[in-house]
Amino acid sequence: MATSLQELGRVVVQDILGDLCAEVFAILSTNGRSTRARLLQLSGLPQRQLKITLACMTQLHILLHQTTDDEQSFYQIDWRNTYSLIRSSRIQCLVEDRYGVRAGKVIAFLLQLGHARVQDLAEAFDLPSQEIPSGATYENGVRPNDSSKDNSGKTSTIGQLHATIRKLLAAGLVVKVGNQAYTPTADIQAEIEELVISAHFPDRKVGGPKKQTEFRMAVNSMKRKRREAEDFSEQRDARSSGVNGRAIKRSKLNIGNDYGAGSGHDDSGLRLLDDLVLRVNYAQCTSALRSQCLEELAEECLGSATAAVYRALLRVLEGKQRARDDVIQPTEASDDEKDDHPIISTVEIADTLDSSINLDIFVAANDSRMTNGTEKAKQKTTQSAEDAENDAALGIVKREPLDSDDDHAATGFYSHRDRGLRLELIEEHLKLLDEHQLKFCERVGPAGRGEWRVDFTPLIDALIQRNIDATIMSRLGPVHMRVVRMLRDKGRIDEKQIAAASMMRLKDVRSFLTQLQYAGFVESQDVPKDNQRQPSRTIFLYFYDRQRVQDQLLQRTYKSLSRMFQRLQLERQRYASAIEKAEKMDANQEALNQNEREAVMQWRAVEEKLLLQVDRLDSQVALLRDFSGRNVSLLS
């Protein structure tokens, strides 16, 4: 168990739930899976207090529990969900950017409570639970609480809330809480395997490749059936609101449109059941944060237009490849891991891409307005024969940009010619992404104007290596960076070979290698020339292990995060009196005197700096641990 991760989890739980929950968390992190009787013995708490503490931690999905046949309950820590509490602010900002303020408020409420019913969400927004009759008439033709013209993101009707939740469910950012949400994955796996062996293998022998394949297929089939039975379904978990079928059809068609579900214009259609329990899907949120990180990198390398195309590609990919905590292992291992990645066509990317984005990167921006506000006459410039020959030799193709004043472009419908031109432009941007050294995507087929897929493993590995290089550069310097790159390219070499290849003195090379080895970026291996193992008769080979450096940086980031939360608690204690008084005088800040107002402003400034640093460190953890898609253990 990583001590730094234990300390970070305890500090986070203490900051959110208090000292009592932090004490129980520390006991579970030290002793592992324990029964309630064992926790009573180790903590010394009264039984009632322990029950309340376990209930609070279970509510936030910090704990998993399993009850055996003899009615004995075992508790263990869900490390991924515990760490995801740190990522709450980033998840809320991400949802607000994608789906609006209304969806961000729903996510914030679920993050605060862990899980909640739809009825609880309606009560939190102070919405009436009764339905408005479909045939009712209203004074002046305006229904009460109509917010169709309200762009502030305020949820005023029950229909808007349900439409927003349906949009989050469709995106996978919110999932239904099933019966096995708190059961550890290992216990579910053991239970399913036992059921399969009892049903299909009476002799309890699963030896041999043929029986092993049948066994894995039966286990995966039962997992899928359980997953489908517990996943959200409109047939099981939704009902009609009493409006006509035409409105329901319109709401379904607009579910992915900005002017559809959740935008303030959809106050009709399906209603979710009040007893439907929902929670945040942290795995899908992490996948969305990965897409955001790659979008920013693509914009930095290739520009905003190409980044917009890449954003649309990643959005389509998120819809096809839903991230889950319980991964179903494939029946047979594929020779090529890329075969398991979903394929996306250019047409799908064009349907997702915003039609207002100008994708023609070969034409300069053309301003249609003059400085005095009058329109310029639209002139078509002609190119000389010499320029045309030069462009043809360089392979540059110049096209006229799509007319933004065209009626079809304004409404979002393109003619066949304009759509074909836009598909060509999208394909050219995808080729730029494919030809980049980071290999943002790759072409796999010609169907649908081109088929594409993204292999995240080498892409994230390249990002991790760039992050490690930047860390070495900032901490030690450019010469140390040269030595590390040399070791990465050549493998295990001794100091004399390093000095010869880098054209530096042997004395300086030894100094740099000592600093790198002390910082943990370089390892050494001694190879004795004889059995006496004397230093003078020993060759010292230096090498660079990226995985070891990555794990070391991850543990250091855990430790830095725990120090940030400890400093946050210390600063909160320093300004405790001013903070308490400001919270009491929330509606009337003028009641505070000048010193108290200055203390509150200083506290807010300190809190903002520390939380900003926490977000930066969390992005480091996400890159080093979560974005690769591998099943990286949190206990390493």
Side-chain angles (χ1 to χ4, degrees), residues 409-571:
T411 57
F413 297 98
Y414 301 98
S415 65
H416 181 72
R417 173 182 172 275
D418 291 341
R419 182 171 175 81
L421 176 60
R422 191 168 182 82
L423 288 173
E424 290 180 6
L425 292 174
I426 292 174
E427 192 171 1
E428 289 176 358
H429 284 281
L430 292 172
K431 288 179 181 177
L432 290 177
L433 292 166
D434 185 16
E435 294 169 359
H436 194 270
Q437 60 179 356
L438 291 177
K439 202 72 175 178
F440 288 99
C441 64
E442 59 179 339
R443 186 185 179 97
V444 295
R449 301 298 296 267
E451 292 179 333
W452 309 84
R453 66 183 173 195
V454 180
D455 189 5
F456 289 106
T457 301
L459 179 59
I460 298 302
D461 287 345
L463 291 181
I464 292 174
Q465 188 57 60
R466 290 181 58 177
N467 185 274
I468 294 175
D469 293 346
T471 302
I472 297 174
M473 180 75 72
S474 62
R475 291 184 58 184
L476 298 176
V479 180
H480 301 79
M481 187 67 257
R482 283 182 55 200
V483 175
V484 171
R485 287 180 177 175
M486 189 181 307
L487 293 175
R488 189 166 65 234
D489 295 338
K490 296 182 177 297
R492 298 171 187 262
I493 54 178
D494 62 355
E495 54 188 17
K496 294 182 180 179
Q497 294 173 323
I498 297 174
S502 60
M503 294 184 292
M504 292 188 297
R505 294 184 303 175
L506 185 60
K507 180 180 179 181
D508 297 336
V509 170
R510 287 175 180 171
S511 175
F512 295 144
L513 289 174
T514 301
Q515 295 176 10
L516 286 169
Q517 191 173 6
Y518 181 78
F521 296 112
V522 167
E523 303 293 334
S524 65
Q525 178 185 4
D526 54 330
V527 181
K529 296 181 180 180
D530 51 25
N531 296 331
Q532 296 181 358
R533 308 182 70 88
Q534 297 180 358
S536 59
R537 300 287 299 171
T538 301
I539 300 175
F540 293 94
L541 300 179
Y542 294 89
F543 64 95
Y544 169 78
D545 188 349
R546 188 187 68 83
Q547 188 60 46
R548 187 178 298 179
V549 174
Q550 178 180 344
D551 294 340
Q552 187 180 30
L553 287 179
L554 182 61
Q555 299 303 323
R556 290 178 180 176
T557 310
Y558 286 154
K559 186 175 294 186
S560 300
L561 279 169
S562 63
R563 297 295 181 268
M564 286 295 165
F565 280 101
Q566 290 175 358
R567 180 60 183 269
L568 190 64
Q569 294 176 3
L570 180 63
E571 295 293 338

Side-chain angles (χ1 to χ4, degrees), residues 552-601:
Q552 187 180 30
L553 287 179
L554 182 61
Q555 299 303 323
R556 290 178 180 176
T557 310
Y558 286 154
K559 186 175 294 186
S560 300
L561 279 169
S562 63
R563 297 295 181 268
M564 286 295 165
F565 280 101
Q566 290 175 358
R567 180 60 183 269
L568 190 64
Q569 294 176 3
L570 180 63
E571 295 293 338
R572 188 180 290 113
Q573 292 176 0
R574 286 180 56 189
Y575 299 98
S577 59
I579 294 173
E580 292 176 0
K581 191 171 182 180
E583 290 176 351
K584 293 178 181 178
M585 303 293 181
D586 187 33
N588 186 16
Q589 294 289 342
E590 297 180 356
L592 301 176
N593 56 38
Q594 183 66 22
N595 294 333
E596 291 172 343
R597 283 198 294 269
E598 291 179 358
V600 171
M601 293 177 61

Side-chain angles (χ1 to χ4, degrees), residues 18 37 71 73 98 103 109-110 126 245 249 326 393 400 411 462 468 541 633:
E71 297 183 355
S73 298
R98 285 195 180 188
F109 188 78
L110 291 176
D126 295 330
K249 182 178 180 181
D326 53 335
E400 294 182 2
T411 57
I468 294 175
L541 300 179
S633 175

Side-chain angles (χ1 to χ4, degrees), residues 266-517:
D266 184 9
D267 195 14
S268 60
L270 295 176
R271 294 288 189 268
L272 303 175
L273 298 179
D274 291 339
D275 294 335
L276 179 62
V277 184
L278 303 172
R279 69 176 180 90
V280 177
N281 184 9
Y282 290 113
Q284 185 70 15
C285 292
T286 302
S287 178
L289 290 173
R290 177 181 63 185
S291 299
Q292 187 181 38
C293 176
L294 295 178
E295 291 166 18
E296 295 173 356
L297 180 64
E299 184 175 3
E300 177 184 348
C301 298
L302 298 171
S304 59
T306 308
V309 175
Y310 195 52
R311 182 189 310 118
L313 185 150
L314 294 176
R315 295 287 177 87
V316 178
L317 182 61
E318 289 178 17
K320 288 190 173 184
Q321 192 178 24
R322 292 293 172 82
R324 293 176 176 269
D325 294 330
D326 53 335
V327 180
I328 297 179
Q329 299 297 333
T331 304
E332 295 182 358
S334 175
D335 295 335
D336 190 1
E337 294 182 357
K338 297 181 180 180
D339 296 339
D340 301 330
H341 298 166
I343 297 175
I344 303 165
S345 65
T346 308
V347 176
E348 293 175 326
I349 299 174
D351 294 338
T352 307
L353 186 63
D354 187 3
S355 60
S356 63
I357 298 176
N358 184 13
L359 299 178
D360 200 340
I361 59 177
F362 304 109
V363 179
N366 185 16
D367 187 12
S368 61
R369 301 278 179 180
M370 297 183 66
T371 55
N372 58 0
T374 60
E375 293 189 4
K376 293 181 180 178
K378 295 183 178 178
Q379 301 177 354
K380 294 185 178 179
T381 59
T382 57
Q383 190 181 33
S384 63
E386 182 179 355
D387 293 339
E389 292 178 358
N390 293 335
D391 291 342
L394 294 174
I396 298 177
V397 180
K398 290 192 175 183
R399 298 185 178 89
E400 294 182 2
L402 297 176
D403 191 359
S404 60
D405 295 334
D406 189 84
D407 294 335
H408 297 292
T411 57
F413 297 98
Y414 301 98
S415 65
H416 181 72
R417 173 182 172 275
D418 291 341
R419 182 171 175 81
L421 176 60
R422 191 168 182 82
L423 288 173
E424 290 180 6
L425 292 174
I426 292 174
E427 192 171 1
E428 289 176 358
H429 284 281
L430 292 172
K431 288 179 181 177
L432 290 177
L433 292 166
D434 185 16
E435 294 169 359
H436 194 270
Q437 60 179 356
L438 291 177
K439 202 72 175 178
F440 288 99
C441 64
E442 59 179 339
R443 186 185 179 97
V444 295
R449 301 298 296 267
E451 292 179 333
W452 309 84
R453 66 183 173 195
V454 180
D455 189 5
F456 289 106
T457 301
L459 179 59
I460 298 302
D461 287 345
L463 291 181
I464 292 174
Q465 188 57 60
R466 290 181 58 177
N467 185 274
I468 294 175
D469 293 346
T471 302
I472 297 174
M473 180 75 72
S474 62
R475 291 184 58 184
L476 298 176
V479 180
H480 301 79
M481 187 67 257
R482 283 182 55 200
V483 175
V484 171
R485 287 180 177 175
M486 189 181 307
L487 293 175
R488 189 166 65 234
D489 295 338
K490 296 182 177 297
R492 298 171 187 262
I493 54 178
D494 62 355
E495 54 188 17
K496 294 182 180 179
Q497 294 173 323
I498 297 174
S502 60
M503 294 184 292
M504 292 188 297
R505 294 184 303 175
L506 185 60
K507 180 180 179 181
D508 297 336
V509 170
R510 287 175 180 171
S511 175
F512 295 144
L513 289 174
T514 301
Q515 295 176 10
L516 286 169
Q517 191 173 6

